[in-house]
Amino acid sequence: MKHIIHMGSVCWRREGQDILKNICWDVTEGEQWAVLGLNGSGKTSILNIITGYNYPTSGSVNVLGTEFGKASIPEMRKKIGYVSNALDKFSGTLNRETVENIILSGRFSSFGIYQKIDENDEKKALDIMKGLRLEYLKGKTYQVLSQGEKRRALIGRAMMAEPELLILDEPCTGLDVLSREDVLNITKDIHAMNCHMLYVTHHIEEITDVISHVLLVKDGTIVAAGPKQDVLTSSLLSDTYKIPVKIHWENNRPWMSII
C-alpha cells in the first residue's frame, strides 16, 4: 500500500537536547489521522519535519513520495495544505482581503493576489465557499469575520490548491461549540475529496468518525499509533496526558473525563 508519510527511527536534536526520539510512524493511503499530546510533547516538531522546515538529525523521512535528502522539499510542500494559528502572523495582510481572495490566494500559496486569475479559478473558489457555507460572506473582508468564519476561510484557502495532505493544527482553538462543530463537519468534506488529513488537537472529542487512526505523543516519543479504537483507551491516554483519565464513546466520538 502507498505510503503518505514514512518516518523511520527519526531523531531531532536542538541545542544538544533530544526533542524527538526514535519516531517510527507510517501513514498509508486511505488513512486519516489525529495527533494527540500535551504542549511540548513533540507534535509541532513532528509537523515541522513532515513539512520540511526541520530536518531530522538521524533517521529516514518520506512524505508524498519525496525522500528527504534525495528530492525537492519545496516541490513537496506544494502538495501540502496547512492551517494553523501560526497563520495569525499574516493577519495584517489577511485583514484587508475579501474572503474569496483569501481562498483564491491558496492557488498560489500566497497571502494576497499577485498573479493573474482566470474564470476557472474564480469558479473553484466560489464552489469552495459554498461547500464551506461561506457564500454569504462574499465581498466581506477578513477583519469583520468571526473566529469560526476565519478558520473556515483558511481551510478553504488550503483546499484551493487541492492538496494531497492537509494538516489541521488545532483548528478549533478559541472557537465556541457551534463554530467548533462547523469546522469538524468540514473534515467530512475533506475526506470526500480523497485528501489525507492530519488533525492535531488536545481534545479527543474533536475526533469524529472521519478519523480512522490516532498517534499519541509524549516527551518526544510515540506512546501508541494505530486504529483509533485500539489507541484511544483509558490506559494509553492516561500515560499520554500524565493524569488518570477515563474514556467513553458517544455517537462514535470519544470523550474523556478525569478520574
Side-chain angles (χ1 to χ4, degrees):
M1 186 173 288
K2 178 182 176 182
H3 279 85
I4 305 303
I5 297 169
H6 166 75
M7 301 181 76
S9 301
V10 167
C11 297
W12 184 61
R13 281 183 205 91
R14 183 178 62 186
E15 299 177 357
Q17 182 180 359
D18 290 330
I19 307 299
L20 297 177
K21 310 158 199 172
N22 194 35
I23 300 295
C24 298
W25 181 35
D26 290 297
V27 175
T28 57
E29 193 171 28
E31 296 174 350
Q32 307 289 352
W33 282 76
V35 182
L36 300 178
L38 295 172
N39 286 337
S41 62
K43 301 189 305 296
T44 298
S45 298
I46 289 173
L47 296 184
N48 285 340
I49 287 178
I50 289 170
T51 52
Y53 290 105
N54 287 339
Y55 203 84
T57 305
S58 61
S60 60
V61 179
N62 189 307
V63 178
L64 298 173
T66 299
E67 185 174 353
F68 282 31
K70 297 183 179 180
S72 170
I73 298 298
E75 286 301 311
M76 176 203 73
R77 288 195 193 114
K78 294 178 182 179
K79 304 175 186 177
I80 299 176
Y82 195 93
V83 178
S84 166
N85 290 329
L87 297 179
D88 289 346
K89 64 185 177 183
F90 299 105
S91 59
T93 299
L94 290 169
N95 283 338
R96 299 189 296 269
E97 296 289 342
T98 61
V99 173
E100 56 267 34
N101 276 356
I102 287 171
I103 292 174
L104 276 167
S105 70
R107 168 76 170 77
F108 311 104
S109 298
S110 62
F111 290 93
I113 304 295
Y114 307 103
Q115 293 157 283
K116 186 176 180 180
I117 57 176
D118 58 31
E119 290 183 2
N120 289 332
D121 290 332
E122 291 178 342
K123 182 181 183 303
K124 183 177 176 181
L126 290 176
D127 286 343
I128 289 173
M129 288 182 70
K130 290 177 182 177
L132 299 178
R133 298 176 296 283
L134 290 171
E135 67 269 27
Y136 68 97
L137 292 173
K138 184 178 180 182
K140 299 290 185 180
T141 56
Y142 188 80
Q143 62 186 345
V144 304
L145 305 186
S146 70
Q147 284 299 109
E149 290 166 342
K150 287 178 179 179
R151 210 64 49 83
R152 284 152 58 200
L154 291 177
I155 292 173
R157 176 183 175 275
M159 293 170 66
M160 184 71 190
E162 298 182 359
E164 294 181 39
L165 174 65
L166 178 60
I167 299 173
L168 300 179
D169 187 5
E170 299 185 25
C172 295
T173 298
L175 301 186
D176 60 32
V177 172
L178 179 59
S179 297
R180 181 191 70 178
E181 293 304 309
D182 278 341
V183 169
L184 294 179
N185 283 330
I186 290 169
T187 62
K188 298 176 183 179
D189 299 326
I190 295 168
H191 177 65
M193 292 170 58
N194 296 318
C195 175
H196 294 85
M197 178 171 54
L198 297 184
Y199 188 99
V200 183
T201 181
H202 297 290
H203 306 289
I204 68 168
E205 66 271 17
E206 294 176 13
I207 299 176
T208 63
D209 54 0
V210 169
I211 300 296
S212 60
H213 290 66
V214 173
L215 174 72
L216 301 181
V217 185
K218 181 183 78 169
D219 298 335
T221 63
I222 291 178
V223 175
K228 64 181 179 183
Q229 296 282 357
D230 297 336
V231 172
L232 294 178
T233 67
S234 299
S235 174
L236 289 172
L237 283 167
S238 294
D239 185 11
T240 301
Y241 288 121
K242 304 180 182 181
I243 189 171
V245 301
K246 183 177 180 180
I247 308 303
H248 67 279
W249 294 78
E250 292 182 17
N251 299 321
N252 205 30
R253 282 171 68 174
W255 299 79
M256 183 174 73
S257 55
I258 308 297
I259 57 175

